[in-house]
DNA sequence: AAGACAGACAACCGCGGGGTT
DNA sequence: AAACCCCGCGGTTGTCTGTCT
């Protein structure tokens, strides 16, 4: 195994921050000739830098297709979800975030997101609650959401792998970024139903919700639209589902609860706001609906004991 | 105003994988 | 098969900047 050292000190090569002149020189050279071999680039470009340093500067800073600046909330969510799924594989995470570099994501994680999770009582490495009994509602939401999202992505991936196998076309089953949070893909997966306390429980691509859905949940026979502010809360009692309308500040007590709403056309990504959800809930709602073509579907959200549902 | 401190992020280092000779 | 080289990755360090005392 070889290794490319970068003995800047001993050979008179420069190191440390790049000057605007160096940037311009590197940029001009690559635009003209491409980078080719990084090892020989510095000499050809007239730079007193090692090839490694040039490569890093180009990839992390000079490349034209880099988006700089503040991370959006959606990006935050994506990073957290992807980290829960992929761990510290920054390059893999960066592959799902167009125009962001692995280095930038890594720095952002280490300086901000990690702390944020810790403050919420979530272990940033395992993405699990540190002390469940003392968790804030916010942390409970986040923890459950992460687990649910990770499961969804896995299911989505598995589904695609199965599709690939079925088609037997021999190509690797790569999940493109644009499909990472594709609800249709998740909904189409044929994973056996489970009843754990996930926020996001089920997606189903049917227009009329009736009886027990494919995940084993009684979705009710209602066809209420979230915009009507009449989301129906189903109370789970064993295998039976009682039903009551979410009243003012309905508090789930004693049992798991399930918020169910269905709509033939949930294409608006702000629909759940009709429930006047608090910020922690909107965070989830955004995650669910953002950038998604979402029609003829229904959604179930489980609530844990003690969680408040504002409806 | 100046020094101490913390946060953010750019850059470096060492390792390992993969291709080539 | 072994040695070498290039490249990419993740962890770590260094530097700059803003804030606090």
């Amino acid at each position: 195994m070889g290794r490319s050292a970068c003995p800047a000190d001993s050979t008179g090569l420069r190191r440390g921050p790049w000057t605007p002149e160096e940037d311009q020189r590197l940029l001009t050279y690559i635009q003209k000739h491409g980078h080719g071999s990084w090892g020989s680039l510095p000499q050809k470009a007239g730079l007193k830098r090692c090839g490694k340093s040039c490569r890093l500067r180009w990839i992390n800073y000079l490349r034209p297709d880099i988006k700089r600046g503040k991370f959006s909330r959606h990006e935050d969510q994506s990073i957290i979800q992807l980290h829960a799924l992929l761990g510290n594989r920054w390059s893999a995470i960066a592959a799902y975030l167009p125009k962001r570099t692995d280095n930038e994501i890594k720095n952002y994680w280490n300086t901000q997101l990690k702390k944020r999770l810790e403050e919420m009582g979530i272990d940033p490495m395992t993405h699990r609650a540190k002390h469940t009994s003392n968790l804030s509602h916010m942390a409970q939401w986040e923890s459950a959401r992460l687990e649910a999202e990770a499961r969804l992505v896995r299911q989505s991936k598995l589904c695609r792998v199965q599709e690939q196998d079925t088609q037997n076309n021999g190509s690797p089953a790569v999940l493109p970024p644009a499909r990472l949070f594709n609800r249709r893909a998740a909904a189409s997966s044929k994973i056996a139903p489970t009843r754990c306390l996930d926020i996001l429980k089920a997606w189903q691509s049917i227009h009329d919700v009736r009886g027990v859905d494919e995940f084993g949940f009684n979705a009710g026979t209602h066809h209420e639209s979230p915009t009507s502010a009449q989301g129906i809360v189903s109370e789970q009692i064993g295998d039976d589902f009682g039903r009551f309308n979410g009243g003012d500040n309905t508090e789930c007590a004693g049992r798991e609860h399930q918020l169910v709403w269905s709509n033939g056309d949930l294409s608006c990504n702000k629909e759940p706001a009709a429930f006047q959800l608090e910020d922690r809930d909107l965070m989830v709602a955004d995650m669910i609906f953002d950038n998604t073509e979402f029609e003829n579907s229904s959604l179930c959200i489980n609530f844990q004991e003690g969680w408040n549902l504002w409806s």
Side-chain angles (χ1 to χ4, degrees):
Chain A
M1 297 298 176
R3 165 166 43 124
S4 60
C6 192
D9 296 338
S10 57
T11 57
L13 294 177
R14 271 183 52 79
R15 49 191 295 185
W18 280 64
T19 65
E21 290 75 22
E22 287 177 312
D23 281 345
Q24 191 56 50
R25 201 177 274 269
L26 179 60
L27 191 60
T28 304
Y29 179 86
I30 291 179
Q31 281 174 343
K32 215 177 223 177
H33 305 97
H35 61 71
S37 164
W38 288 110
S40 58
L41 182 145
Q43 196 181 4
K44 291 177 183 170
L47 285 162
K48 288 183 170 13
R49 294 268 181 178
C50 70
K52 244 179 153 172
S53 181
C54 293
R55 178 186 156 271
L56 214 59
R57 185 63 178 172
W58 170 256
I59 287 174
N60 289 333
Y61 197 85
L62 294 176
R63 225 170 31 162
D65 57 337
I66 287 179
K67 174 179 162 188
R68 310 193 67 79
K70 197 168 158 49
F71 281 75
S72 68
R73 199 170 73 170
H74 185 254
E75 285 176 312
D76 288 357
Q77 292 166 358
S78 296
I79 293 169
I80 293 171
Q81 290 154 10
L82 287 163
H83 188 272
L85 187 65
L86 300 168
N88 289 1
R89 292 166 58 200
W90 305 114
S91 61
I93 293 172
Y96 290 97
L97 289 165
K99 303 188 176 184
R100 295 290 189 183
T101 69
D102 53 356
N103 204 39
E104 192 178 16
I105 294 168
K106 177 176 61 181
N107 285 330
Y108 186 57
W109 172 266
N110 286 330
T111 58
Q112 298 194 33
L113 293 181
K114 203 159 83 174
K115 284 179 203 161
R116 209 182 294 169
L117 288 183
E118 279 168 350
E119 283 169 7
M120 291 163 66
I122 296 172
D123 185 327
M125 296 318 291
T126 63
H127 290 259
R128 291 181 180 280
K130 286 175 177 169
H131 308 289
T132 307
S133 59
N134 296 331
L135 268 185
S136 66
H137 287 163
M138 184 73 174
Q140 287 179 337
W141 270 93
E142 183 66 9
S143 180
R145 183 179 67 78
L146 287 169
E147 288 183 26
E149 269 300 297
R151 184 175 300 107
L152 268 179
V153 174
R154 279 196 297 274
Q155 288 175 358
S156 175
K157 269 189 168 175
L158 179 61
C159 178
R160 285 179 53 77
V161 168
Q162 288 169 342
E163 283 173 8
Q164 295 278 353
D165 288 346
T166 303
Q167 291 165 8
N168 196 24
N169 60 8
S171 58
V174 176
L175 185 71
R179 304 192 90 192
L180 182 60
F181 303 115
N182 188 320
R183 274 26 123 178
R184 290 179 191 282
S188 66
S189 102
K190 299 291 186 288
I191 305 299
T194 60
R195 292 204 175 202
C196 57
L197 285 175
D198 292 341
I199 291 170
L200 181 58
K201 178 55 72 178
W203 301 93
Q204 53 189 107
S205 298
I206 55 174
H207 183 89
D208 293 328
V209 179
R210 53 188 175 274
V212 177
D213 66 21
E214 63 179 291
F215 295 88
F217 283 94
N218 182 349
T221 55
H222 52 88
H223 302 277
E224 304 286 351
S225 161
T227 54
S228 70
Q230 291 294 318
I232 294 175
V233 176
S234 299
E235 184 178 5
Q236 184 178 347
I237 308 173
D239 288 330
D240 296 319
F241 285 78
R243 214 172 79 180
F244 58 88
N245 287 332
D248 294 335
N249 187 17
T250 301
E251 180 165 358
C252 305
R255 299 183 184 88
E256 301 169 19
H257 283 67
Q258 184 183 30
L259 165 65
V260 179
W261 67 79
S262 61
N263 192 333
D265 182 13
L266 275 176
S267 56
C268 171
N269 68 0
K270 290 303 175 192
E271 292 276 4
F275 284 102
Q276 298 176 16
L277 301 177
E278 293 182 286
D279 186 54
R280 65 173 187 268
D281 308 332
L282 290 176
M283 180 177 68
V284 177
D286 270 4
M287 172 198 75
I288 292 167
F289 291 102
D290 199 20
N291 296 328
T292 305
E293 289 179 20
F294 188 75
E295 296 176 356
N296 303 332
S297 306
S298 69
L299 165 70
C300 304
I301 296 180
N302 276 357
F303 288 84
Q304 221 169 4
E305 178 178 348
W307 290 3
N308 290 325
L309 170 63
W310 304 78
S311 59

